[in-house]
Amino acid sequence: MLSALNAPGCRRHPWLLLLPKEEREGGGGSGGGVGQRQSQQRAGGGSSMPRAGCKSAGSWSKGTGGPEPGQISLVVFIGLLFTRFWFFSILYSIWWYLDQDKPRQGGRCSKALQSWVMWKHMRDYFPISLVKTAELDPSRNYLAGFHPQGIMAPGAFVNLCTESTGFSSLFPGIRPHLIMLPFWFRVPFFREYLMMGGLVTSDKESIAHILNRKGGGNLAAIIIGGAQEALNARPGAYTLLLRNRKGFIKLALLHGAALVPMFSFGENDLFDQVENSPGSWLRWIQDKLQKTTSFSFPLFHGRGIFQYSFGFIPYRQPITTVGSL
């Protein structure tokens, strides 16, 4: 039995079947894991991938076109340079340079921001709920594999980056961190907001920092399918990318962390997507763009403010996220 999967409430998961037999049974390394071979550079892919996180971890902010707050932050930063308050941008640039490693060192989570009332309104809009099926030992560190990506992954954000669904009450002593593309932590001002929400970069050093923290009680959550899986997100269907996404398992074994599966039912029901079946010209273009930019570009639509036929507001569909199966 692999020690990394022996924590209370974390039984051996079918994910392990993705690994070769010799790696499932351990390779002589400490803790009965995969020996001391270096884990995958990217948790979602093969050995040649450059980062430990999924290509677009945490899609609320990632490979689906990006969040508007990030764009606003960039405009404000540049705009200040052309006003009498230009020195604010200069001072922030200095701070930004001195603090550039913080997103890879666990960030700076703020319980005050995570407890904002507006997150409860966001929760109630869908609504979103979090279900616990087993206890997590706060003396251990955990690596959670989150499915599915969906279009914007509000289930991942609301449950792991806010207190609106009561994460700390359901899992006392556990501090969640949602993994996200490093690109967004280069956006001025917006990076501070992200870190206060508990988000960290998808660099392998960032995930290793969380999983190696002394005292336990840390959980790093990776949206396994990433940007590529967003292209399959449509109501009533769950098409998950797992076959070539083994790195997160090896990462857990390497650092002695327990694997925790999380599945968000209803995540794919929030938007309709233009038909882009594999082999179509649209899917070919989307795949090329995703491989080139690390972002996916699904053509989706939801509802409007005063009508339900078209718009970019997600449909009001319930999302139930089940953790620690």
Side-chain angles (χ1 to χ4, degrees), residues 18-250:
L18 297 172
L19 294 177
K21 180 180 179 182
E22 60 272 15
E23 296 185 9
R24 296 200 305 266
E25 295 176 351
S30 61
V34 195
Q36 294 302 317
R37 184 173 54 169
Q38 185 68 30
S39 70
Q40 304 298 342
Q41 295 284 323
R42 191 189 76 177
S47 59
S48 62
M49 296 302 178
R51 291 187 294 271
C54 290
K55 218 159 176 22
S56 141
S59 144
W60 156 76
S61 44
K62 42 266 156 240
T64 55
E68 291 184 5
Q71 299 166 5
I72 294 173
S73 298
L74 187 59
V75 170
V76 170
F77 177 80
I78 296 175
L80 285 174
L81 292 172
F82 298 93
T83 70
R84 60 178 177 173
F85 301 106
W86 57 268
F87 57 89
F88 282 112
S89 290
I90 300 300
L91 290 175
Y92 182 81
S93 296
I94 298 173
W95 160 255
W96 187 7
Y97 175 77
L98 296 175
D99 193 56
Q100 60 183 312
D101 291 331
K102 193 63 177 178
R104 295 190 294 270
Q105 298 173 348
R108 54 173 68 89
C109 185
S110 169
K111 288 298 180 184
L113 182 143
Q114 292 181 329
S115 300
W116 281 0
V117 174
M118 74 172 185
W119 303 134
K120 295 183 179 179
H121 293 298
M122 182 176 179
R123 173 202 64 192
D124 294 339
Y125 172 81
F126 294 97
I128 298 173
S129 59
L130 177 62
V131 178
K132 179 179 75 172
T133 61
E135 298 290 340
L136 294 182
D137 183 358
S139 67
R140 296 291 306 275
N141 289 326
Y142 300 89
L143 182 60
F146 191 97
H147 310 276
Q149 160 83 14
I151 297 294
M152 293 184 178
F157 174 71
V158 170
N159 285 310
L160 298 173
C161 299
T162 81
E163 280 297 320
S164 60
T165 56
F167 183 94
S168 61
S169 299
L170 290 173
F171 301 100
I174 304 296
R175 296 175 294 277
H177 297 274
L178 186 59
I179 307 302
M180 184 177 179
L181 276 177
F183 170 82
W184 296 111
F185 293 90
R186 301 188 185 107
V187 180
F189 303 128
F190 186 55
R191 69 188 292 272
E192 315 300 333
Y193 163 74
L194 295 177
M195 288 192 288
M196 292 174 70
L199 290 108
V200 296
T201 70
S202 58
D203 300 291
K204 68 174 185 178
E205 296 85 358
S206 174
I207 301 176
H209 178 86
I210 295 173
L211 300 183
N212 288 328
R213 277 180 171 174
K214 302 297 182 181
N218 300 284
L219 181 145
I222 299 176
I223 301 182
I224 305 302
Q228 187 177 357
E229 191 176 88
L231 299 176
N232 296 320
R234 47 182 32 88
Y238 292 98
T239 303
L240 308 180
L241 295 182
L242 287 170
R243 181 172 299 173
N244 297 319
R245 305 292 175 111
K246 308 172 186 177
F248 73 103
I249 303 175
K250 297 180 180 180

Side-chain angles (χ1 to χ4, degrees), residues 259-282:
L259 280 173
V260 178
M262 300 186 73
F263 199 95
S264 198
F265 297 93
E267 199 80 51
N268 285 353
D269 297 335
L270 308 182
F271 294 96
D272 290 312
Q273 186 171 173
V274 175
E275 181 59 38
N276 60 342
S277 56
S280 65
W281 65 269
L282 176 58

